[in-house]
Amino acid sequence: MFRGVFHARPRLLVTTPEGLQDVLNTHAYDYEKEDRARRFLSRILGHGLIVVEGKEHKLQRKSVAPAFHGKHIRDLVPLFWRKAIDFTNAVSLEMVGAKDPTSKLKTGVVEISALAQRITLDIIGLATFGRDFNTIVNSGDELAQQYETLLNPKRANIVLLFTLNMFFPPRILYYLPWKAQRTLESASINLRRICGQLVRDKKRDLVEKPSGQIDILSTLIKSGTFDDEGYVNQLLTFLAAGHETTSSALTWALWLLSTHPNVQERTRAEVLKFIPRSDANATMDASTLDEMHYLTAVCNEVLRLYPTVPNTAREAKRDTTIGNQRVPKGAFVAISPWAINRLPSIWGPDASEFNPDRWFGDHQPANQNAYNFVTFIHGPRSCIGQGFSRSELRCLLAATVRRFQVVCHGKPQR
């Protein structure tokens, strides 16, 4: 236990699988996200699964869970693959640089993160609404522009605004003459407006054609659990969390493969074994994807080293315990997937190294204890879309290495 900023509140950092199980599962509803963090996140994510707590969270998760059932995710794999091919076509078109005169291969430089964000937004659009935003070729789409405004890493002021929100009352920050505040406010209003129209469009489509629509929004509307405002909140959560997480993982994956050419070659060899380059019309299904064991190990290793949410926190809402440690009401409990996923005591002396082979064998840490790997958290607040994200990432990475050799532009930095 330690004290935070200004020594104002007791804080605990949970560093053992047993402690994590207490916080994330056994006593999960003794803890909630801090009110200020929830208030800020709701402006981007709506009052969906990531933000709500207690009974409301239990109700929402129960209502949303059928849309992320394993069979439904497996049925989406062909869609993931089609869009992965669209992604590789876009990468080819974006290449900057002259063709190598000594080679028949097209070479060039591509800034991959923006394309990754756009293709994952297209995928979540199809899976959630049954609608292709096609931002991979049309970056002028309004929805894509709003997320570009919020998530562009060059606009770090939004991150700073979140940090300040944790220390100062929102009513003070609201009146600061700061562009980031106005940007966030404008994007929040526009995103709710766009999602509201998408809900109305989908309801109309279901009246005109009630059968054959299996996207996530159709499933939710048919359940009748939410009102229109509730659907908008869920869409805001799915759109933001569902595309930014996988695009970040894909970017890290391609960087790691570019700096580990032997791993890249092994991954490519496995993919080509199942889907040769000569098969221009190749398709992918869940069974074929599951056969690519080394690809799966590579993706697991990427997610271990670079979890999309490296740190998270909870506030104890009542007196509780973590193991034998008493946790008083109001205590701040920190959880670091980044740290747990790299602990040498769990993952061995090479815990900080990129080594997909560690995922083979019955004695690998994630098989010994689920809480050794916490990228997606665990328990009732675990990431409900992790199956979706894992399959999507595998398809995108497989299609990319099948078509391209990935090399880091300039000197790699760690």
Side-chain angles (χ1 to χ4, degrees):
M1 183 179 291
F2 62 100
R3 293 278 174 175
V5 178
F6 307 125
H7 293 263
R9 299 173 61 188
R11 294 170 181 253
L12 297 95
L13 175 63
V14 185
T15 59
T16 66
E18 295 76 18
L20 288 168
Q21 184 170 0
D22 276 346
V23 174
L24 299 175
N25 201 335
T26 308
H27 306 298
Y29 287 104
D30 287 348
Y31 303 92
E32 295 181 359
K33 289 185 177 70
E34 284 193 297
D35 290 342
R36 288 183 178 181
R38 293 170 55 203
R39 190 163 48 240
F40 184 91
L41 290 172
S42 68
R43 298 170 70 181
I44 302 171
L45 302 175
H47 294 279
L49 270 175
I50 293 178
V51 173
V52 298
E53 298 286 356
K55 292 181 179 179
E56 179 62 22
H57 178 266
K58 292 178 182 179
L59 175 63
Q60 287 196 18
R61 189 169 180 103
K62 182 179 180 180
S63 302
V64 170
F68 291 93
H69 187 272
K71 183 182 183 306
H72 183 59
I73 300 304
R74 292 178 69 82
D75 290 342
L76 288 173
V77 168
L79 181 155
F80 295 157
W81 181 253
R82 290 197 304 272
K83 297 308 293 183
I85 298 302
D86 288 349
F87 174 71
T88 61
N89 291 337
V91 169
S92 182
L93 290 173
E94 287 280 328
M95 280 185 174
V96 178
K99 181 179 178 181
D100 183 348
T102 65
S103 172
K104 294 181 180 180
L105 299 176
K106 183 178 180 181
T107 62
V109 178
V110 177
E111 198 291 299
I112 206 71
S113 61
L115 287 176
Q117 285 187 359
R118 282 153 55 184
I119 195 64
T120 52
L121 183 59
D122 287 348
I123 291 172
I124 200 69
L126 278 165
T128 304
F129 313 112
R131 172 176 168 181
D132 191 350
F133 299 124
N134 205 27
T135 64
I136 196 67
V137 295
N138 176 26
S139 59
D141 179 88
E142 184 182 13
L143 188 68
Q145 288 181 337
Q146 295 302 323
Y147 279 113
E148 167 68 12
T149 298
L150 288 174
L151 302 175
N152 188 334
K154 296 178 181 178
R155 297 190 173 105
N157 283 342
I158 297 294
V159 177
L160 179 58
L161 183 59
F162 173 78
T163 304
L164 291 175
N165 182 82
M166 300 303 293
F167 296 99
F168 299 99
R171 63 181 176 275
I172 293 177
L173 298 177
Y174 182 82
Y175 290 105
L176 290 178
W178 193 10
K179 185 178 179 181
Q181 183 71 260
R182 304 296 168 254
T183 298
L184 176 60
E185 190 70 20
S186 174
S188 299
I189 292 171
N190 288 330
L191 286 171
R192 295 195 76 86
R193 172 179 55 78
I194 295 168
C195 287
Q197 186 59 53
L198 289 169
V199 169
R200 290 188 289 274
D201 291 346
K202 176 57 66 176
K203 282 190 164 184
R204 184 196 63 227
D205 292 345
L206 286 171
V207 170
E208 296 174 355
K209 187 181 178 183
S211 62
Q213 300 198 46
I214 60 171
D215 55 84
I216 293 171
L217 181 56
S218 294
T219 302
L220 291 179
I221 290 175
K222 290 174 183 177
S223 74
T225 305
F226 304 102
D227 58 16
D228 282 8
E229 184 70 11
Y231 296 129
V232 168
N233 285 323
Q234 299 307 320
L235 295 187
L236 288 169
T237 297
F238 299 153
L239 283 169
H243 91 274
E244 172 62 17
T245 51
T246 309
S247 67
S248 174
L250 177 62
T251 303
W252 279 117
L254 293 175
W255 180 78
L256 285 166
L257 291 186
S258 74
T259 55
H260 296 79
N262 292 337
V263 174
Q264 181 178 167
E265 187 52 43
R266 283 181 65 184
T267 308
R268 181 179 297 108
E270 181 180 70
V271 172
L272 292 176
K273 175 183 175 182
F274 291 94
I275 306 182
R277 284 197 186 102
S278 57
D279 188 353
N281 299 314
T283 59
M284 178 79 80
D285 58 28
S287 296
T288 302
L289 190 62
D290 289 343
E291 288 293 315
M292 300 185 190
H293 302 300
Y294 192 70
L295 172 70
T296 300
V298 167
C299 291
N300 285 341
E301 187 71 345
V302 171
L303 293 168
R304 180 185 74 86
L305 287 172
Y306 295 100
T308 304
V309 180
N311 300 290
T312 186
R314 301 285 189 272
E315 180 182 358
K317 290 299 182 181
R318 58 189 63 86
D319 290 343
T320 185
T321 59
I322 300 176
N324 295 323
Q325 173 68 54
R326 176 181 172 274
V327 180
K329 179 181 177 180
F332 180 93
V333 177
I335 301 168
S336 178
W338 177 285
I340 296 294
N341 289 355
R342 291 168 176 252
L343 277 179
S345 59
I346 293 175
W347 296 94
D350 67 340
S352 295
E353 299 301 316
F354 179 60
N355 177 20
D357 286 318
R358 76 172 78 248
W359 290 88
F360 294 103
D362 294 335
H363 298 293
Q364 55 99 350
N367 281 345
Q368 294 174 349
N369 190 322
Y371 292 86
N372 287 338
F373 176 71
V374 289
T375 294
F376 296 102
I377 309 297
H378 290 286
R381 297 210 65 107
S382 63
C383 174
I384 200 169
Q386 63 176 290
F388 183 108
S389 180
R390 285 175 182 267
S391 295
E392 179 186 19
L393 176 61
R394 285 187 289 164
C395 285
L396 287 166
L397 193 60
T400 304
V401 299
R402 175 177 179 258
R403 182 163 179 179
F404 302 109
Q405 179 179 358
V406 184
V407 179
C408 186
H409 180 60
K411 185 178 179 180
Q413 298 180 0
R414 297 186 70 86

